[in-house]
Amino acid sequence: MLELQNINYSYQSGTSILRNVNATFSPGRVYAIVGSSGCGKSTLLSIMGGLDMPASGNVRFNGKSLMKKDLPEYRKKDVAFIFQSYNLIDYLTAEENLKLVSPLSALPVLEKVGLNCEIAKRNVLKLSGGQQQRVAIARALICDSSLLLADEPTGNLDEENAAAIFDLLIQYAHGPLQGCVVIVTHSPVLAQNADVVLKLENGVLNHVG
Ligand SMILES: Nc1ncnc2c1ncn2[C@@H]1O[C@H](COP(=O)(O)OP(=O)(O)OP(=O)(O)O)[C@@H](O)[C@H]1O
Ligand SMILES: [Mg+2]
């Protein structure tokens, strides 16, 4: 579904963040990307999601280079993103944040991530960090996109909630939707439940185990 071919990337400051990264991501599978803080995991997800372009190399979605695709449409239709910093619209309620991206009913999806009706109707700034994170997860899940990119989706959650969310993400890939799920995580316990574990180190992406 998604192919990374010889991806190189550096920020203006010059240090190389990604070096000749090659990887293939398939439908129906869950990928965990691990690596130390600052190694470039969020940068890599941005490139996969068409939010940033590599300095060289190619990203192909279903065989077509992102450079030749309509990027706003790719971001809207093909990819769902759970941002590390949530990126919720802060003057809206949880429910309204979901309504903005999908005509489907928001409450059942919010319920799935453990947020009840009262919470759904509250302004997101009046929610706890973990509740905001779950709104961001619900907003991605409701899109039913074929590619789901999740940047530290359980970073602010307790063990029990984190495991429940991880189960939902696994369902997204292994259930009828057969989505391709890519999760950046610092949790080795969660990573070991993924189908494939990739480690980013010194700009190089390698399979683990
Ligand atoms: N806009 C930017 N301009 C310059 N450097 C940046 C920019 N964004 C990130 N960086 C640097 O690039 C490196 C990779 O950042 P990135 O956010 O991809 O790391 P990460 O692996 O996601 O880290 P974390 O686990 O802490 O989220 C870091 O050293 C960071 O300081
Ligand atoms: Mg990051």
Side-chain angles (χ1 to χ4, degrees), residues 65-96:
S65 167
L66 285 198
M67 282 190 273
K68 294 192 182 132
K69 271 183 83 75
D70 178 347
L71 277 185
E73 172 150 315
Y74 171 67
R75 292 183 205 119
K76 194 163 171 213
K77 294 240 170 77
D78 300 314
V79 190
F81 224 114
I82 301 170
F83 292 95
Q84 192 166 14
S85 46
Y86 318 151
N87 292 7
L88 298 173
I89 308 294
D90 64 11
Y91 54 83
L92 297 178
T93 67
E95 185 181 25
E96 287 161 350

Side-chain angles (χ1 to χ4, degrees), residues 7-194:
I7 301 291
N8 286 284
Y9 188 91
S10 29
Y11 286 104
Q12 307 301 47
S13 49
T15 41
S16 160
I17 307 283
L18 303 173
R19 302 171 204 223
N20 268 319
V21 166
N22 285 285
T24 302
F25 300 88
S26 307
R29 309 207 81 186
V30 179
Y31 298 81
I33 298 181
V34 299
S36 57
S37 174
C39 74
K41 304 178 299 296
S42 296
T43 305
L44 181 63
L45 278 199
S46 303
I47 290 172
M48 293 168 73
L51 300 174
D52 204 345
M53 280 290 161
S56 66
N58 215 344
V59 182
R60 296 169 83 86
F61 181 78
N62 290 339
K64 190 168 178 187
S65 167
L66 285 198
M67 282 190 273
K68 294 192 182 132
K69 271 183 83 75
D70 178 347
L71 277 185
E73 172 150 315
Y74 171 67
R75 292 183 205 119
K76 194 163 171 213
K77 294 240 170 77
D78 300 314
V79 190
F81 224 114
I82 301 170
F83 292 95
Q84 192 166 14
S85 46
Y86 318 151
N87 292 7
L88 298 173
I89 308 294
D90 64 11
Y91 54 83
L92 297 178
T93 67
E95 185 181 25
E96 287 161 350
N97 265 274
L98 269 66
K99 287 235 151 100
L100 221 49
V101 300
S102 167
L104 299 178
S105 178
L107 294 180
V109 187
L110 287 164
E111 190 104 25
K112 270 215 282 196
V113 298
L115 301 174
N116 65 30
C117 186
E118 188 265 316
I119 288 177
K121 298 200 182 291
R122 220 189 283 163
N123 179 283
V124 289
L125 288 182
K126 293 184 180 161
L127 302 179
S128 74
Q131 288 168 338
Q132 291 182 25
Q133 183 156 48
R134 284 181 281 159
V135 176
I137 293 162
R139 183 182 58 180
L141 291 175
I142 202 172
C143 292
D144 280 346
S145 304
S146 51
L147 179 61
L148 178 61
L149 304 175
D151 199 348
E152 281 285 347
T154 60
N156 255 315
L157 301 179
D158 59 90
E159 224 170 272
E160 197 178 320
N161 268 303
I165 293 297
F166 212 81
D167 278 348
L168 285 176
L169 296 177
I170 287 178
Q171 252 318 297
Y172 199 90
H174 294 176
L177 190 69
Q178 289 284 295
C180 173
V181 177
V182 184
I183 308 170
V184 167
T185 180
H186 281 290
S187 161
V189 181
L190 294 182
Q192 79 186 13
N193 288 319

